[in-house]
Amino acid sequence: MRLGDAGGKVLIVAIDDGWFGVHLDWVEDVLQAGAASLHGVRNGSGRARPFVLRGRAPAPVVDLREMLGLLDLLGAPPPRSGQLLLRCGDGALAMPIDACIGVRALDLAARPPVPTRLRRDGGLPLGHMTALDGRPLTVLDPNRLLDAELRATLAPLRAKAAALHERRQRLATLWEEIRRDANVDQLRVYARLCARSGEGRTAGAARRVLEHLEAPAGEILNGGSDPLDRLLRELVERQRSGASGAIEVEAADGAGGTIVLQGGRVVNATCGAADGRAAFARLLGATRATRFSAAADAAGPPRITESTIALTVAALVALPERPC
Protein backbone atom coordinates (compact mmCIF):
# COMPACT_ATOMS: atom_id res chain seq x y z
CA MET A 1 0.00 0.00 0.00
CA ARG A 2 1.21 3.50 -0.88
CA LEU A 3 -0.51 5.43 1.88
CA GLY A 4 2.76 6.29 3.63
CA ASP A 5 4.34 8.05 0.64
CA ALA A 6 4.83 11.71 1.45
CA GLY A 7 4.01 12.80 -2.10
CA GLY A 8 1.22 10.27 -2.56
CA LYS A 9 -1.97 11.50 -4.22
CA VAL A 10 -5.30 9.95 -3.33
CA LEU A 11 -8.55 10.07 -5.29
CA ILE A 12 -11.45 10.77 -2.93
CA VAL A 13 -14.94 9.47 -3.72
CA ALA A 14 -18.26 9.43 -1.87
CA ILE A 15 -20.20 6.19 -1.39
CA ASP A 16 -23.38 6.25 0.68
CA ASP A 17 -22.55 8.54 3.64
CA GLY A 18 -18.79 7.95 3.68
CA TRP A 19 -15.67 9.25 2.00
CA PHE A 20 -13.23 6.73 0.60
CA GLY A 21 -9.83 7.16 -1.01
CA VAL A 22 -7.69 5.16 -3.41
CA HIS A 23 -4.08 5.91 -4.27
CA LEU A 24 -3.81 7.15 -7.86
CA ASP A 25 -1.44 4.31 -8.73
CA TRP A 26 -4.43 1.96 -8.64
CA VAL A 27 -6.96 4.16 -10.48
CA GLU A 28 -7.65 3.43 -14.15
CA ASP A 29 -10.54 5.82 -14.76
CA VAL A 30 -13.65 7.48 -13.35
CA LEU A 31 -16.74 7.02 -15.51
CA GLN A 32 -20.06 8.80 -15.32
CA ALA A 33 -23.14 6.58 -15.34
CA GLY A 34 -23.78 5.47 -18.90
CA ALA A 35 -20.30 6.41 -20.13
CA ALA A 36 -19.31 2.75 -20.44
CA SER A 37 -21.53 -0.09 -21.61
CA LEU A 38 -22.29 -2.78 -19.05
CA HIS A 39 -22.24 -6.38 -20.22
CA GLY A 40 -23.75 -9.23 -18.25
CA VAL A 41 -21.90 -12.52 -17.88
CA ARG A 42 -23.94 -15.36 -16.39
CA ASN A 43 -22.79 -17.85 -13.78
CA GLY A 44 -23.81 -21.50 -13.57
CA SER A 45 -27.17 -20.68 -11.99
CA GLY A 46 -28.03 -18.17 -14.70
CA ARG A 47 -27.50 -15.03 -12.59
CA ALA A 48 -25.86 -12.25 -14.54
CA ARG A 49 -22.90 -10.34 -13.16
CA PRO A 50 -22.31 -6.93 -14.79
CA PHE A 51 -18.88 -6.23 -16.25
CA VAL A 52 -17.32 -3.12 -17.77
CA LEU A 53 -15.31 -3.99 -20.89
CA ARG A 54 -12.76 -1.20 -20.92
CA GLY A 55 -9.04 -0.75 -20.48
CA ARG A 56 -6.61 -3.58 -19.84
CA ALA A 57 -9.03 -6.21 -18.61
CA PRO A 58 -12.76 -6.83 -18.05
CA ALA A 59 -13.78 -5.23 -14.75
CA PRO A 60 -16.58 -6.82 -12.71
CA VAL A 61 -18.94 -4.30 -11.13
CA VAL A 62 -18.90 -4.89 -7.37
CA ASP A 63 -20.57 -2.40 -5.04
CA LEU A 64 -18.77 -1.58 -1.80
CA ARG A 65 -21.75 -2.92 0.19
CA GLU A 66 -21.24 -6.32 -1.40
CA MET A 67 -17.49 -6.24 -0.83
CA LEU A 68 -18.03 -5.46 2.84
CA GLY A 69 -20.74 -8.13 3.21
CA LEU A 70 -23.40 -5.54 4.09
CA LEU A 71 -26.09 -6.40 1.54
CA ASP A 72 -28.23 -8.26 4.07
CA LEU A 73 -27.90 -5.43 6.57
CA LEU A 74 -28.24 -2.39 4.29
CA GLY A 75 -30.06 -3.90 1.32
CA ALA A 76 -29.31 -3.49 -2.36
CA PRO A 77 -27.45 -0.25 -3.16
CA PRO A 78 -29.29 2.62 -4.85
CA PRO A 79 -28.41 3.64 -8.42
CA ARG A 80 -24.94 5.19 -8.41
CA SER A 81 -23.80 8.17 -10.47
CA GLY A 82 -20.56 6.65 -11.74
CA GLN A 83 -17.97 3.90 -11.72
CA LEU A 84 -14.44 3.94 -10.29
CA LEU A 85 -12.23 1.63 -12.37
CA LEU A 86 -9.40 0.13 -10.31
CA ARG A 87 -6.44 -2.12 -10.90
CA CYS A 88 -5.99 -4.81 -8.29
CA GLY A 89 -4.17 -8.07 -7.82
CA ASP A 90 -7.05 -9.99 -9.40
CA GLY A 91 -7.06 -7.85 -12.54
CA ALA A 92 -9.56 -4.99 -12.63
CA LEU A 93 -12.61 -3.88 -10.70
CA ALA A 94 -15.43 -1.38 -11.27
CA MET A 95 -16.71 0.09 -8.02
CA PRO A 96 -19.95 2.15 -8.23
CA ILE A 97 -19.65 5.56 -6.54
CA ASP A 98 -22.05 8.39 -5.71
CA ALA A 99 -19.64 11.27 -6.39
CA CYS A 100 -16.02 12.04 -7.17
CA ILE A 101 -14.65 14.54 -4.65
CA GLY A 102 -11.25 14.99 -6.31
CA VAL A 103 -7.54 14.26 -5.93
CA ARG A 104 -5.92 15.26 -2.65
CA ALA A 105 -2.55 14.93 -0.93
CA LEU A 106 -3.07 13.71 2.63
CA ASP A 107 -1.26 15.27 5.57
CA LEU A 108 -0.42 12.05 7.40
CA ALA A 109 1.77 13.78 9.94
CA ALA A 110 -1.22 15.69 11.28
CA ARG A 111 -3.47 12.61 11.38
CA PRO A 112 -1.56 9.30 11.31
CA PRO A 113 -3.50 6.52 9.56
CA VAL A 114 -4.94 3.68 11.59
CA PRO A 115 -5.58 0.21 10.07
CA THR A 116 -9.24 -0.62 9.69
CA ARG A 117 -10.75 -3.27 11.91
CA LEU A 118 -12.15 -5.05 8.88
CA ARG A 119 -9.61 -7.70 7.89
CA ARG A 120 -9.13 -9.75 4.77
CA ASP A 121 -7.34 -13.03 4.08
CA GLY A 122 -4.23 -13.42 6.24
CA GLY A 123 -5.51 -10.86 8.75
CA LEU A 124 -4.57 -7.91 6.52
CA PRO A 125 -6.61 -4.71 6.96
CA LEU A 126 -8.92 -3.62 4.14
CA GLY A 127 -7.36 -0.15 4.34
CA HIS A 128 -6.52 2.67 6.70
CA MET A 129 -8.58 5.29 8.53
CA THR A 130 -7.55 8.93 8.57
CA ALA A 131 -9.34 12.29 8.26
CA LEU A 132 -9.85 14.89 5.56
CA ASP A 133 -11.53 18.30 5.96
CA GLY A 134 -12.71 17.33 9.41
CA ARG A 135 -14.50 14.12 8.38
CA PRO A 136 -13.44 10.45 8.49
CA LEU A 137 -11.75 9.05 5.40
CA THR A 138 -11.09 5.39 4.67
CA VAL A 139 -8.23 4.84 2.22
CA LEU A 140 -8.83 1.46 0.58
CA ASP A 141 -6.26 -1.01 -0.67
CA PRO A 142 -7.69 -2.38 -3.97
CA ASN A 143 -5.65 -5.58 -3.59
CA ARG A 144 -7.63 -6.41 -0.43
CA LEU A 145 -11.13 -5.39 -1.51
CA LEU A 146 -12.25 -8.89 -2.47
CA ASP A 147 -12.23 -11.70 0.04
CA ALA A 148 -11.63 -15.33 -0.89
CA GLU A 149 -15.33 -16.13 -1.28
CA LEU A 150 -16.01 -13.23 -3.63
CA ARG A 151 -12.86 -13.92 -5.65
CA ALA A 152 -13.96 -17.54 -6.07
CA THR A 153 -17.37 -16.35 -7.26
CA LEU A 154 -15.85 -14.00 -9.80
CA ALA A 155 -13.08 -16.26 -11.11
CA PRO A 156 -15.13 -18.26 -13.68
CA LEU A 157 -17.02 -15.13 -14.70
CA ARG A 158 -13.77 -13.29 -15.37
CA ALA A 159 -12.83 -15.97 -17.89
CA LYS A 160 -16.17 -15.55 -19.69
CA ALA A 161 -15.85 -11.77 -19.61
CA ALA A 162 -12.29 -11.97 -20.95
CA ALA A 163 -13.55 -14.07 -23.89
CA LEU A 164 -16.30 -11.49 -24.51
CA HIS A 165 -13.72 -8.70 -24.30
CA GLU A 166 -11.55 -10.47 -26.88
CA ARG A 167 -14.53 -10.94 -29.22
CA ARG A 168 -15.39 -7.27 -28.99
CA GLN A 169 -11.82 -6.30 -29.84
CA ARG A 170 -11.94 -8.67 -32.82
CA LEU A 171 -15.27 -7.12 -33.83
CA ALA A 172 -13.79 -3.63 -33.75
CA THR A 173 -10.83 -4.69 -35.89
CA LEU A 174 -13.04 -6.62 -38.31
CA TRP A 175 -15.47 -3.72 -38.64
CA GLU A 176 -12.66 -1.38 -39.66
CA GLU A 177 -11.68 -3.90 -42.36
CA ILE A 178 -15.31 -4.12 -43.52
CA ARG A 179 -15.55 -0.34 -43.67
CA ARG A 180 -12.52 -0.17 -45.95
CA ASP A 181 -13.33 -3.00 -48.35
CA ALA A 182 -15.78 -5.72 -47.31
CA ASN A 183 -16.29 -9.22 -48.65
CA VAL A 184 -18.72 -12.03 -47.94
CA ASP A 185 -16.35 -14.00 -45.69
CA GLN A 186 -15.67 -10.99 -43.47
CA LEU A 187 -19.37 -10.22 -43.13
CA ARG A 188 -20.19 -13.84 -42.26
CA VAL A 189 -17.60 -13.86 -39.46
CA TYR A 190 -18.78 -10.45 -38.27
CA ALA A 191 -22.41 -11.60 -38.04
CA ARG A 192 -21.40 -14.69 -36.05
CA LEU A 193 -19.23 -12.73 -33.61
CA CYS A 194 -22.00 -10.14 -33.10
CA ALA A 195 -24.48 -12.90 -32.26
CA ARG A 196 -22.07 -14.48 -29.75
CA SER A 197 -21.40 -11.08 -28.17
CA GLY A 198 -25.07 -10.24 -27.59
CA GLU A 199 -25.24 -7.73 -30.47
CA GLY A 200 -28.40 -9.31 -31.88
CA ARG A 201 -29.63 -6.34 -33.89
CA THR A 202 -26.27 -5.80 -35.58
CA ALA A 203 -25.99 -9.55 -36.27
CA GLY A 204 -29.45 -9.47 -37.86
CA ALA A 205 -28.55 -6.52 -40.06
CA ALA A 206 -25.34 -8.20 -41.22
CA ARG A 207 -27.22 -11.43 -41.98
CA ARG A 208 -29.83 -9.58 -43.99
CA VAL A 209 -27.16 -8.04 -46.22
CA LEU A 210 -25.37 -11.40 -46.34
CA GLU A 211 -28.51 -13.11 -47.68
CA HIS A 212 -28.44 -10.85 -50.73
CA LEU A 213 -24.70 -11.15 -51.23
CA GLU A 214 -24.91 -14.96 -51.22
CA ALA A 215 -28.04 -15.21 -53.40
CA PRO A 216 -27.59 -16.08 -57.10
CA ALA A 217 -27.29 -13.15 -59.49
CA GLY A 218 -30.64 -11.69 -60.51
CA GLU A 219 -32.63 -13.34 -57.72
CA ILE A 220 -34.89 -11.11 -55.61
CA LEU A 221 -35.39 -12.49 -52.11
CA ASN A 222 -38.86 -12.85 -50.55
CA GLY A 223 -40.41 -12.69 -54.01
CA GLY A 224 -39.50 -9.02 -54.20
CA SER A 225 -42.42 -8.11 -51.93
CA ASP A 226 -40.38 -5.94 -49.54
CA PRO A 227 -39.23 -2.63 -51.07
CA LEU A 228 -36.23 -2.57 -48.73
CA ASP A 229 -35.10 -5.99 -49.94
CA ARG A 230 -35.53 -4.85 -53.54
CA LEU A 231 -33.26 -1.86 -52.86
CA LEU A 232 -30.70 -4.05 -51.08
CA ARG A 233 -30.73 -6.40 -54.04
CA GLU A 234 -30.30 -3.48 -56.43
CA LEU A 235 -27.25 -2.32 -54.51
CA VAL A 236 -25.75 -5.84 -54.55
CA GLU A 237 -26.34 -6.30 -58.29
CA ARG A 238 -24.81 -2.92 -59.14
CA GLN A 239 -21.83 -3.68 -56.92
CA ARG A 240 -21.29 -7.02 -58.68
CA SER A 241 -21.40 -5.42 -62.11
CA GLY A 242 -19.28 -2.43 -61.09
CA ALA A 243 -21.90 -0.10 -62.51
CA SER A 244 -21.76 3.68 -62.29
CA GLY A 245 -24.89 5.77 -62.22
CA ALA A 246 -27.75 6.68 -59.93
CA ILE A 247 -30.58 4.82 -58.22
CA GLU A 248 -33.64 7.05 -58.08
CA VAL A 249 -35.54 6.14 -54.92
CA GLU A 250 -39.23 6.81 -54.50
CA ALA A 251 -39.80 7.10 -50.76
CA ALA A 252 -42.93 6.16 -48.85
CA ASP A 253 -42.96 9.57 -47.15
CA GLY A 254 -42.93 11.30 -50.53
CA ALA A 255 -39.46 12.79 -50.09
CA GLY A 256 -37.54 10.51 -52.42
CA GLY A 257 -33.92 10.92 -53.35
CA THR A 258 -30.92 9.56 -55.20
CA ILE A 259 -28.15 7.07 -54.43
CA VAL A 260 -25.04 7.71 -56.52
CA LEU A 261 -22.78 4.81 -57.54
CA GLN A 262 -19.25 4.83 -58.89
CA GLY A 263 -17.81 1.51 -59.99
CA GLY A 264 -20.58 -0.29 -58.11
CA ARG A 265 -19.82 1.52 -54.85
CA VAL A 266 -22.10 4.07 -53.18
CA VAL A 267 -20.29 7.40 -53.15
CA ASN A 268 -23.14 9.76 -52.28
CA ALA A 269 -26.85 10.01 -51.54
CA THR A 270 -29.31 12.88 -51.39
CA CYS A 271 -32.73 13.04 -49.75
CA GLY A 272 -34.32 16.44 -49.28
CA ALA A 273 -31.80 18.68 -47.56
CA ALA A 274 -29.72 15.72 -46.35
CA ASP A 275 -26.84 14.14 -48.20
CA GLY A 276 -24.14 11.52 -47.62
CA ARG A 277 -24.65 8.82 -44.99
CA ALA A 278 -27.66 10.52 -43.39
CA ALA A 279 -29.51 10.67 -46.72
CA PHE A 280 -28.67 7.04 -47.50
CA ALA A 281 -30.08 5.92 -44.13
CA ARG A 282 -33.29 7.89 -44.71
CA LEU A 283 -33.78 6.38 -48.17
CA LEU A 284 -33.11 2.87 -46.90
CA GLY A 285 -35.78 3.26 -44.24
CA ALA A 286 -38.48 4.80 -46.46
CA THR A 287 -37.98 3.29 -49.92
CA ARG A 288 -41.01 2.26 -51.96
CA ALA A 289 -39.63 1.87 -55.48
CA THR A 290 -36.32 2.30 -57.34
CA ARG A 291 -35.07 2.99 -60.85
CA PHE A 292 -31.43 2.81 -61.99
CA SER A 293 -29.92 5.13 -64.58
CA ALA A 294 -26.43 4.41 -65.86
CA ALA A 295 -23.82 7.17 -66.09
CA ALA A 296 -20.15 7.21 -66.96
CA ASP A 297 -19.01 9.12 -63.88
CA ALA A 298 -20.49 10.27 -60.59
CA ALA A 299 -20.97 14.01 -60.31
CA GLY A 300 -18.77 15.73 -57.74
CA PRO A 301 -16.37 14.31 -55.13
CA PRO A 302 -17.51 11.31 -53.09
CA ARG A 303 -19.29 12.15 -49.83
CA ILE A 304 -19.28 8.51 -48.72
CA THR A 305 -15.94 6.71 -48.50
CA GLU A 306 -16.75 3.56 -46.51
CA SER A 307 -17.67 0.32 -48.25
CA THR A 308 -21.26 -0.10 -49.42
CA ILE A 309 -21.63 -3.20 -47.23
CA ALA A 310 -20.58 -1.34 -44.06
CA LEU A 311 -22.77 1.63 -45.02
CA THR A 312 -25.79 -0.63 -45.50
CA VAL A 313 -25.30 -2.65 -42.30
CA ALA A 314 -24.96 0.53 -40.22
CA ALA A 315 -28.09 2.03 -41.81
CA LEU A 316 -30.11 -1.15 -41.15
CA VAL A 317 -29.08 -1.16 -37.49
CA ALA A 318 -30.22 2.46 -37.15
CA LEU A 319 -33.64 1.87 -38.71
CA PRO A 320 -36.37 2.54 -36.12
CA GLU A 321 -38.94 -0.11 -35.34
CA ARG A 322 -37.96 -2.35 -38.19
CA PRO A 323 -36.73 -5.89 -37.49
CA CYS A 324 -33.43 -6.78 -39.07
Side-chain angles (χ1 to χ4, degrees):
M1 190 170 184
R2 298 288 301 280
L3 185 58
D5 289 3
K9 300 279 187 171
V10 175
L11 177 67
I12 312 299
V13 298
I15 304 175
D16 289 329
D17 295 328
W19 276 16
F20 298 86
V22 179
H23 195 282
L24 283 183
D25 280 359
W26 304 113
V27 176
E28 284 283 342
D29 206 347
V30 180
L31 307 174
Q32 294 296 319
S37 298
L38 295 181
H39 303 269
V41 181
R42 298 188 180 278
N43 58 19
S45 63
R47 178 175 177 266
R49 160 74 65 175
F51 274 78
V52 174
L53 297 182
R54 183 185 176 104
R56 303 180 184 181
V61 178
V62 187
D63 195 89
L64 189 61
R65 291 188 183 187
E66 182 181 4
M67 285 185 273
L68 300 181
L70 298 176
L71 288 179
D72 291 339
L73 179 63
L74 300 179
R80 306 292 192 186
S81 65
Q83 306 274 359
L84 176 60
L85 265 60
L86 301 172
R87 294 195 313 276
C88 60
D90 296 305
L93 186 70
M95 186 168 66
I97 61 175
D98 292 316
C100 181
I101 308 302
V103 177
R104 303 287 290 272
L106 303 181
D107 184 0
L108 302 180
R111 182 67 181 265
V114 177
T116 63
R117 294 183 179 180
L118 186 60
R119 305 279 169 167
R120 285 307 193 216
D121 305 329
L124 299 173
L126 181 68
H128 286 71
M129 296 289 299
T130 182
L132 179 66
D133 296 342
R135 60 183 298 167
L137 171 69
T138 304
V139 181
L140 302 170
D141 185 341
N143 296 301
R144 301 174 191 167
L145 284 174
L146 304 180
D147 61 15
E149 182 179 354
L150 194 49
R151 282 198 298 271
T153 299
L154 294 176
L157 299 179
R158 283 188 188 276
K160 291 183 179 180
L164 176 60
H165 190 42
E166 182 180 352
R167 285 197 300 272
R168 288 183 62 85
Q169 289 180 318
R170 288 179 61 195
L171 276 172
T173 300
L174 185 56
W175 179 246
E176 287 306 310
E177 295 174 0
I178 291 173
R179 291 185 74 247
R180 288 193 296 270
D181 189 16
N183 59 50
V184 171
D185 291 337
Q186 288 174 324
L187 191 60
R188 188 181 299 113
V189 173
Y190 183 75
R192 185 173 66 250
L193 286 175
C194 283
R196 292 181 59 195
S197 301
E199 303 287 344
R201 185 168 177 82
T202 305
R207 289 193 186 109
R208 188 165 189 173
V209 175
L210 195 60
E211 281 185 299
H212 292 278
L213 290 170
E214 294 180 323
E219 178 180 330
I220 301 291
L221 297 183
N222 301 324
S225 60
D226 189 331
L228 174 56
D229 278 312
R230 293 186 67 86
L231 177 54
L232 293 177
R233 193 62 187 163
E234 180 88 61
L235 291 168
V236 168
E237 294 291 356
R238 300 306 171 188
Q239 179 175 295
R240 282 176 174 167
S241 65
S244 296
I247 301 175
E248 300 295 332
V249 180
E250 179 185 337
D253 59 6
T258 303
I259 297 174
V260 182
L261 304 174
Q262 183 68 50
R265 186 166 179 158
V266 175
V267 294
N268 199 6
T270 57
C271 181
D275 65 357
R277 298 175 78 252
F280 181 84
R282 285 180 59 183
L283 292 174
L284 209 65
T287 183
R288 186 166 66 183
T290 63
R291 180 174 59 86
F292 176 72
S293 300
D297 295 298
R303 296 296 303 274
I304 298 172
T305 57
E306 63 192 301
S307 73
T308 299
I309 289 178
L311 177 71
T312 306
V313 170
L316 285 174
V317 172
L319 287 184
E321 300 179 3
R322 177 188 277 270
C324 293

